[in-house]
Amino acid sequence: MIKKIPIGELKSGMYVHDVNCSWRSMPVFTFRHRMSDEKIIEKIRQLGIREIYIDTSLGDDLPGAPTEDEVRMELEGQMVGLADGDEVAFHHRLASQSELDHAWDIHRSASQLIQGIMTDVRMGRQIEFDTVHEALHNINGSVLSSFGALMQLGQLKSADDYTFQHCVGVSALLTAFGKGLELNRQTIHDVGIGALLHDIGKMQIPSEILNKPGRLTEIEFDEMKQHVVYGRNLIGDASWVSSTALQVLEQHHERYDGTGYPKGLKSSEISPMGQMAAIVDVYDAITAERVYHKGMMPADALRKLQEWSHFHFNEDLVRHFIRSLGIYPLRTVVRLESGGIGIVIDQNPADLLRPTLLMVSDDEKRLPLSPYRLDLSKATADRIITYEPPEKYHIDVDRYLATV
Ligand SMILES: [Fe+2]
């Protein structure tokens, strides 16, 4: 059985299933195994991990600790509670193929611009103001014209060129997050610039560490963390990079409970922009497809953020972020009380628990021949019970959405 325990309860003889910290490349000793060395337990604690999952079938148990299913149910309850907020929620709808193609073109050209900037940096050249602005201008256009398309792109990114695409993804999400929080135009512009440059210091990390397919050694992990300091040094005294943009770059790995890096700042020591950047950076990283692991579904990623928000992030900002993407983001597969299975195709900002679905089954066992739309805001007799992994019902989401 998989159970969640506080890190202080981790003892020799327990089997670590998941260090519950998938937002970063963790050192090799956090890989799944049975704990037998107090020094390793202490090292895991020092990483800032607060809660951990153990497998009680392979190691010692902690009686009374919640099971993985209990944790999931509790989180689902918390997510449903977020629907009651009165902060801004967006109306995301499924993008048309042409909107998607357009957003994809923008994303690709912005990624190429960032790749050019980073290559220049690696060669020791200056960062070009005009190129960064051109990339941001493109991203802003796509955030304004079709946020739905942008969200869908998150899952279409290719596994190559991860670092460049990640910068563009974080910039787009942070721009949208800023709009949702009704920040002023200049601030939104500055956080967008900061996001595009936030990982620029990675260009000074040796590529065998940056692109290492396996887990990093402790020394490599420490070197990887230096990318924030390297990034700050690369910006130097460039006057076009505002203090707001610098906050994004310098603080995107700081954590609300002081467990982040490079400075170990906590709560209000981290600027609001740094706190927002941390949330978005993690969301984009865990949903991305990588060469060696599959990206998380947005619904899973938002629940992980909610779980981690109790320690590592500003809970209010996580609530805003989740509401801005929807409790059940576009393309999420959900199960209804009636047993029906549907795919979220249109958000309902007035009630995030009642989006419009493309129904693909009227019960859990049979898939219907012709999918149909169901607007849950009108079908008041039914409701979403939970979201489901598409594989569980052998649902090819893309194939169904092509029929809409
Ligand atoms: Fe980073």
Side-chain angles (χ1 to χ4, degrees):
M1 193 182 282
I2 309 298
K3 285 182 159 188
K4 183 159 93 168
I5 64 165
I7 193 71
E9 299 287 351
L10 181 62
K11 303 268 176 348
S12 202
M14 287 178 173
Y15 186 94
V16 172
H17 174 75
D18 174 12
V19 289
N20 194 26
C21 188
S22 42
W23 68 63
R24 59 189 192 194
S25 334
M26 300 302 277
V28 72
F29 60 79
T30 57
F31 195 61
R32 286 180 182 181
H33 68 294
R34 193 181 169 103
M35 291 290 122
S36 57
D37 185 343
E38 281 298 330
K39 275 195 221 132
I40 291 182
I41 294 177
E42 187 48 37
K43 279 188 176 157
I44 292 178
R45 285 195 194 117
Q46 284 169 4
L47 284 171
I49 291 164
R50 307 294 288 261
E51 294 175 318
I52 199 162
Y53 286 90
I54 57 168
D55 188 338
T56 61
S57 66
L58 297 170
D60 294 346
D61 189 7
L62 179 70
T67 64
E68 193 175 36
D69 283 347
E70 287 166 347
V71 171
R72 185 184 149 108
M73 274 171 59
E74 193 195 331
L75 273 175
E76 207 53 34
Q78 291 171 9
M79 295 294 286
V80 168
L82 297 185
D84 282 338
D86 49 13
E87 305 95 342
V88 176
F90 290 105
H91 177 202
H92 302 310
R93 58 176 176 76
L94 210 60
S96 66
Q97 192 54 49
S98 65
E99 285 173 321
L100 211 51
D101 290 344
H102 181 59
W104 184 232
D105 284 345
I106 285 172
H107 198 278
R108 196 166 32 217
S109 61
S111 295
Q112 281 163 0
L113 287 171
I114 295 299
Q115 183 168 13
I117 292 167
M118 289 194 161
T119 308
D120 281 354
V121 165
R122 196 165 250 172
M123 315 272 281
R125 295 193 200 109
Q126 288 278 310
I127 304 166
E128 294 275 345
F129 165 85
D130 288 347
T131 320
V132 178
H133 269 257
E134 189 184 339
L136 186 68
H137 179 74
N138 290 346
I139 293 165
N140 269 332
S142 103
V143 171
L144 285 174
S145 62
S146 177
F147 189 66
L150 207 68
M151 289 295 91
Q152 283 165 258
L153 275 191
Q155 292 180 287
L156 299 176
K157 279 184 255 174
S158 67
D160 315 324
D161 304 333
Y162 168 71
T163 303
F164 318 121
Q165 297 194 33
H166 173 62
C167 291
V168 174
V170 170
S171 184
L173 279 167
L174 206 49
T175 300
F177 194 8
K179 285 181 196 293
L181 288 169
E182 298 173 319
L183 303 181
N184 67 50
R185 268 174 79 110
Q186 185 62 44
T187 307
I188 291 175
H189 170 271
D190 290 348
V191 294
I193 293 281
L196 283 177
L197 299 175
H198 81 286
D199 269 347
I200 200 151
K202 284 192 177 169
M203 290 302 103
Q204 294 196 331
I205 303 285
S207 57
E208 58 276 18
I209 297 179
L210 186 64
N211 301 317
K212 187 176 177 180
R215 290 190 176 238
L216 302 178
T217 66
E218 244 182 298
I219 292 167
E220 289 167 340
F221 183 55
D222 285 341
E223 172 64 15
M224 189 69 138
K225 291 202 286 194
Q226 288 297 312
H227 77 274
V228 179
V229 177
Y230 297 156
R232 178 65 191 87
N233 291 342
L234 281 169
I235 300 294
D237 54 5
S239 58
W240 57 274
V241 183
S242 69
S243 58
T244 302
L246 279 178
Q247 285 166 351
V248 171
L249 184 151
E250 290 184 282
Q251 300 177 348
H252 72 276
H253 286 291
E254 298 290 357
R255 293 291 174 261
Y256 206 65
D257 56 356
T259 57
Y261 63 85
K263 293 186 175 162
L265 302 176
K266 62 174 135 182
S267 55
S268 60
E269 290 169 0
I270 313 168
S271 69
M273 303 312 142
Q275 294 176 22
M276 288 166 63
I279 294 167
V280 170
D281 181 54
V282 166
Y283 176 83
D284 191 79
I286 62 180
T287 51
E289 293 287 331
R290 303 292 294 273
V291 178
Y292 40 88
H293 75 79
K294 209 172 141 29
M296 251 185 227
M297 295 287 292
D300 282 316
L302 292 180
R303 280 147 184 83
K304 271 289 163 199
L305 279 178
Q306 172 67 14
E307 181 181 0
W308 294 328
S309 74
H310 304 316
F311 299 109
H312 303 296
F313 302 108
N314 178 323
E315 285 186 273
D316 277 345
L317 285 175
V318 168
R319 188 180 72 238
H320 275 281
F321 184 67
I322 292 173
R323 284 180 56 83
S324 73
L325 263 62
I327 310 283
Y328 302 104
L330 288 177
R331 300 168 53 91
T332 301
V333 173
V334 294
R335 179 156 51 85
L336 301 180
E337 194 169 44
S338 61
I341 306 291
I343 304 168
V344 177
I345 55 170
D346 205 342
Q347 295 280 344
N348 172 12
D351 186 347
L352 294 173
L353 302 179
R354 296 195 160 275
T356 296
L357 307 177
L358 181 70
M359 295 301 294
V360 297
S361 169
D362 283 334
D363 65 49
E364 284 186 56
K365 295 177 192 69
R366 282 181 303 126
L367 296 183
L369 290 174
S370 45
Y372 63 93
R373 294 173 83 98
L374 176 69
D375 181 350
L376 275 181
S377 69
K378 299 195 175 99
T380 49
D382 213 343
R383 67 186 181 99
I384 296 175
I385 294 293
T386 188
Y387 76 103
E388 299 278 12
E391 311 81 65
K392 183 170 168 184
Y393 300 101
H394 308 290
I395 293 171
D396 182 342
V397 172
D398 287 325
R399 194 170 62 85
Y400 275 113
L401 294 186
T403 68
V404 177

